[in-house]
């Protein structure tokens, strides 16, 4: 189970995503591979294929959760936490914000950080999701729809209020989406680019003073090998002329690393 693949509803592989541990892969893509599809009663052959596929979903989900946990541990090992492990004698509490921490790699990473006795700010798109995840992780809930820049600013204000005078040691921009159809954000941008790039860019700028106040402050952007297939067209930044879900995702990941 060292490879992660995107599969269709019949269980057939349609896109190889990468080796576990080599690249961070977007949670939306991974969860899409396991998402149960609605039955089509008029197509008995399809229903039979779907039934065979769903019988394997629990095992695949368990493998996915193990892979996400490994990725979470791998990520935490590369944060500046090797000499500071939390509220022990002679050390201060380490504060980490993880966006998209209600499930997938984000949630697994948040759990590892909480186990390391860090103060984890658990971000979710809604208050309900963030609160539920924070309760499970043992963190502090913060929320905001990253497809809305006004809510991104509100999220930054929540984080600053939660931190008080404390610095932000690590800002982990993990949240991301993969859209199969073109949608426009509240600010008029194509939603993939809005959530995957514009939101973390703005959030980073707003929280940068808090990160710079930390002795070893870090901003970590979750990347993807898909960036190699991205192409930035500044004349059509929002894919208004021609939309392709994978192209939009790859371009947003390229924008992250440019």
């Amino acid at each position: 189970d060292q490879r992660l693949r995107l599969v269709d509803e019949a269980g057939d592989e349609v896109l190889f995503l990468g080796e576990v541990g080599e690249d961070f892969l977007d949670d939306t893509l991974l969860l899409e591979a396991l998402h149960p599809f609605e039955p089509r009663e008029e197509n008995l052959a399809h229903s039979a294929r779907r039934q065979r596929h769903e019988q394997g979903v629990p095992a695949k989900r368990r493998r996915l959760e193990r892979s996400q946990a490994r990725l979470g541990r791998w990520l935490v090992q590369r944060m500046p936490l090797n000499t500071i492990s939390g509220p022990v004698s002679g050390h201060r509490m380490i504060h980490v914000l993880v966006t998209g921490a209600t499930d997938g790699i984000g949630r697994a990473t948040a759990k590892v950080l909480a186990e390391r006795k860090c103060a984890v700010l658990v971000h979710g798109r809604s208050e309900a999701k963030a609160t539920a995840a924070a309760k499970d992780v043992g963190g502090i809930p913060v929320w905001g729809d990253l497809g809305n820049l006004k809510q991104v600013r509100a999220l930054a204000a929540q984080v600053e209020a939660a931190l008080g005078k404390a610095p932000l040691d690590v800002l982990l921009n993990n949240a991301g989406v993969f859209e199969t159809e073109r949608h426009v954000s509240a600010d008029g941008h194509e939603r993939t680019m809005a959530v995957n790039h514009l939101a973390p860019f703005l959030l980073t700028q707003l929280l940068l003073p808090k990160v710079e106040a930390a002795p070893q402050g870090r901003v970590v952007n979750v990347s993807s090998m898909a960036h190699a297939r991205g192409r930035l067209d500044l004349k059509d930044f929002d894919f208004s002329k021609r939309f392709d879900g994978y192209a939009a995702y790859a371009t947003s990941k390229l924008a992250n690393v440019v």
Side-chain angles (χ1 to χ4, degrees):
D1 62 9
Q2 292 301 306
R3 289 172 177 265
L4 300 175
R5 294 174 170 84
L6 182 66
V7 297
D8 65 9
E9 58 228 70
D12 299 318
E13 178 181 318
V14 294
L15 177 65
F16 171 66
L17 293 179
E19 299 287 341
V20 172
E22 288 187 356
D23 295 277
F24 289 112
L25 309 176
D26 183 77
D27 290 348
T28 304
L29 280 173
L30 300 180
L31 294 175
E32 184 76 15
L34 303 178
H35 188 276
F37 290 77
E38 291 299 321
R40 302 175 185 176
E41 296 179 359
E42 73 279 7
N43 189 333
L44 296 179
H46 171 83
S47 297
R49 289 196 303 272
R50 179 177 177 273
Q51 184 177 8
R52 290 195 300 272
H53 169 58
E54 287 189 340
Q55 288 173 349
V57 164
K60 290 181 180 179
R61 190 176 297 279
R62 287 193 295 271
R63 291 199 298 270
L64 174 60
E65 290 173 351
R66 290 197 298 270
S67 297
Q68 290 170 340
R70 288 198 295 271
L71 284 168
R73 290 192 295 271
W74 187 89
L75 175 58
V76 172
Q77 288 171 1
R78 282 151 181 80
M79 292 184 184
L81 308 174
N82 56 323
T83 59
I84 307 176
S85 58
V88 296
S89 178
H91 296 304
R92 63 177 180 81
M93 176 70 80
I94 298 301
H95 294 81
V96 183
L97 168 61
V98 182
T99 66
T102 57
D103 53 32
I105 298 170
R107 189 164 184 155
T109 303
K111 284 186 175 181
V112 176
L113 289 165
E115 291 169 359
R116 292 284 299 269
K117 308 302 180 184
C118 294
V120 186
L121 282 74
V122 179
H123 163 260
R125 187 168 60 178
S126 68
E127 180 179 3
K129 287 186 175 182
T131 300
K135 183 178 180 180
D136 176 61
V137 169
I140 304 165
V142 292
W143 56 90
D145 183 353
L146 299 185
N148 185 322
L149 296 180
K150 182 178 180 180
Q151 292 196 36
V152 173
R153 293 181 182 277
L155 170 61
Q158 285 183 61
V159 172
E160 290 179 337
L163 291 172
K165 295 182 179 180
L168 180 61
D169 296 274
V170 180
L171 166 56
L172 173 54
N173 289 313
N174 163 76
V177 297
F178 182 98
E179 301 282 2
T180 56
E181 297 180 358
R182 186 177 186 272
H183 298 282
V184 178
S185 73
D187 304 285
H189 301 291
E190 190 279 315
R191 195 157 65 189
T192 308
M193 187 64 74
V195 173
N196 294 5
H197 182 63
L198 298 181
F201 182 87
L202 175 60
L203 185 63
T204 299
Q205 293 302 308
L206 294 172
L207 294 177
L208 198 57
K210 281 290 189 181
V211 176
E212 291 177 333
Q216 300 182 68
R218 294 288 188 278
V219 176
V220 180
N221 294 320
V222 174
S223 62
S224 169
M225 65 179 184
H227 83 269
R229 296 190 179 185
R231 181 175 177 271
L232 283 168
D233 182 357
L234 298 183
K235 294 182 179 180
D236 190 23
F237 195 68
D238 290 314
F239 291 90
S240 59
K241 297 178 181 178
R242 180 177 180 275
F243 178 81
D244 175 84
Y246 184 78
Y249 176 80
T251 300
S252 72
K253 293 286 102 179
L254 175 61
N256 290 163
V257 300
V258 166

